[in-house]
Amino acid sequence: CISCISHASTDRTVPFPENGIQFKMLRFLLLRFGVTGCSVIMMMTMMMMINNNSGTVATAQTTKPKILCLHGGGGTASGMASVIEDLVSGLPDYEFVFAQAAYPVAETKESYVWIPDPPGGKNEPTTDPSFADESVVALDKIVEQQGPFYGILGYSQGAAFVPVYLSRTLGNTFEIAITFCGYLTTTHQGILDVVNEKSPFGDIPHLVWMGQQDFIISNVMTNAMADIFANPTVVVSENGGHAPPGSSDPTFGQVISWVQDPLSANNASSTNSTANSGNDQPASTSCSANFLFTILFTICSIMIA
């Protein structure tokens, strides 16, 4: 700037507007303290600005909304990643966290279930509401350590466990729920009693997907689960079977759109703000710099007086 040039410091130009407070401040410092004193003061001021701006940027870093994913019975966390890989690819602005159920199917521990089978067989339902608490605890740890979460997603037994976990956690833990090929835990009446008591889980938006070619979990069973939620969005694929929809399924785009905007026109602005949370850069940087310069200018004036 002109002040630096007048003091024979052409290699230390500063891009300040000549009518701005920064220019006036720098000119004042040069006239009073010379180039060396001005450099020291400016260095201290820049350090203050860097520290201040670092704190601001840290709170505004872009973070993807997280979706907690529950695998099917006899599956694994890594296996679930493969099961919904098309969905993950179709939602690049979201982070998918894959949970592992707490109960190994066999000693090899290569497959897990969220709820073990009733000890007396499926014809003798359990009545203990805490029968699957180890899986609840496993999810609690993930939510505590990796939250907050935007949504919870489940497939097959993982879908059945979605309302179970919603009945055992705080109402604001998730903003949406997504289930593929889901059903109610009718062979575990104690758990189901708690689910029915807590339904409809704070009216959480819920996408219920089912395939008409699913011969493992019938559409009747999936619709029964949908009924315990308030106004669920039910998507039925004519070609779908017992698997989440891939990119070739006619309903795939509908699922993607729903995740991005579950409340549609009813509250689109709120949904968009959730998905884009943290993308905007803070607008207070220049204001903070001017404020720091003003404070420094005042201090220098007092020292000289």
Side-chain angles (χ1 to χ4, degrees):
C1 68
I2 295 175
S3 294
C4 285
I5 294 173
S6 65
H7 285 79
S9 298
T10 56
D11 61 331
R12 295 177 180 269
T13 56
V14 181
F16 289 158
E18 294 190 17
N19 61 344
I21 187 173
Q22 296 95 334
F23 175 81
K24 294 177 181 178
M25 180 66 214
L26 183 58
R27 186 180 183 88
F28 170 82
L29 293 173
L30 283 168
L31 292 174
R32 291 291 184 179
F33 302 105
V35 175
T36 303
C38 177
S39 299
V40 173
I41 295 173
M42 288 298 295
M43 185 178 296
M44 294 175 62
T45 304
M46 290 301 296
M47 290 177 64
M48 293 172 62
M49 291 172 59
I50 291 171
N51 288 336
N52 180 69
N53 290 338
S54 296
T56 303
V57 173
T59 60
Q61 286 180 344
T62 300
T63 56
K64 294 182 179 181
K66 294 182 179 181
I67 298 177
L68 181 61
C69 303
L70 281 56
H71 61 77
T76 60
S78 59
M80 182 62 174
S82 298
V83 169
I84 63 168
E85 61 180 347
D86 284 358
L87 188 65
V88 174
S89 298
L91 293 165
D93 295 330
Y94 295 79
E95 179 181 348
F96 291 80
V97 178
F98 297 92
Q100 185 113 308
Y103 301 95
V105 175
E107 293 182 358
T108 57
K109 295 185 178 181
E110 295 180 351
S111 58
Y112 295 79
V113 294
W114 297 99
I115 311 175
D117 286 338
K122 294 186 177 181
N123 292 326
E124 298 182 20
T126 64
T127 57
D128 182 2
S130 62
F131 188 75
D133 269 12
E134 289 185 33
S135 287
V136 173
V137 171
L139 293 181
D140 283 343
K141 290 181 179 179
I142 294 176
V143 170
E144 179 182 356
Q145 296 172 1
Q146 301 188 48
F149 282 90
Y150 169 58
I152 183 170
L153 177 155
Y155 159 60
S156 196
Q157 194 192 59
F161 205 72
V162 166
V164 174
Y165 190 60
L166 290 176
S167 72
R168 301 289 297 275
T169 190
L170 297 176
N172 61 351
T173 303
F174 305 100
E175 296 182 40
I176 64 168
I178 310 158
T179 55
F180 301 107
C181 315
Y183 58 94
L184 293 174
T185 59
T186 53
T187 58
H188 301 280
Q189 284 298 320
I191 293 174
L192 186 57
D193 287 344
V194 178
V195 168
N196 289 328
E197 179 184 346
K198 299 296 183 179
S199 169
F201 320 106
D203 296 343
I204 185 173
H206 180 202
L207 174 72
V208 180
W209 186 95
M210 67 188 86
Q212 289 186 350
Q213 307 306 314
D214 188 344
F215 302 111
I216 297 177
I217 302 299
S218 69
N219 290 175
V220 173
M221 297 169 66
T222 302
N223 280 318
M225 185 195 65
D227 288 342
I228 67 173
F229 288 83
N231 301 316
T233 299
V234 179
V235 178
V236 181
S237 172
E238 294 182 356
N239 304 324
H242 191 69
S247 57
S248 61
D249 190 283
T251 65
F252 183 77
Q254 187 175 353
V255 173
I256 295 293
S257 297
W258 187 92
V259 174
Q260 295 171 332
D261 188 7
L263 303 184
S264 190
N266 292 333
N267 199 3
S269 61
S270 174
T271 303
N272 289 337
S273 66
T274 300
N276 296 325
S277 175
N279 289 338
D280 296 331
Q281 293 297 320
S284 60
T285 303
S286 61
C287 294
S288 299
N290 286 337
F291 178 75
L292 288 172
F293 272 107
T294 302
I295 292 297
L296 185 57
F297 185 91
T298 303
I299 293 174
C300 289
S301 299
I302 295 174
M303 291 173 59
I304 294 171

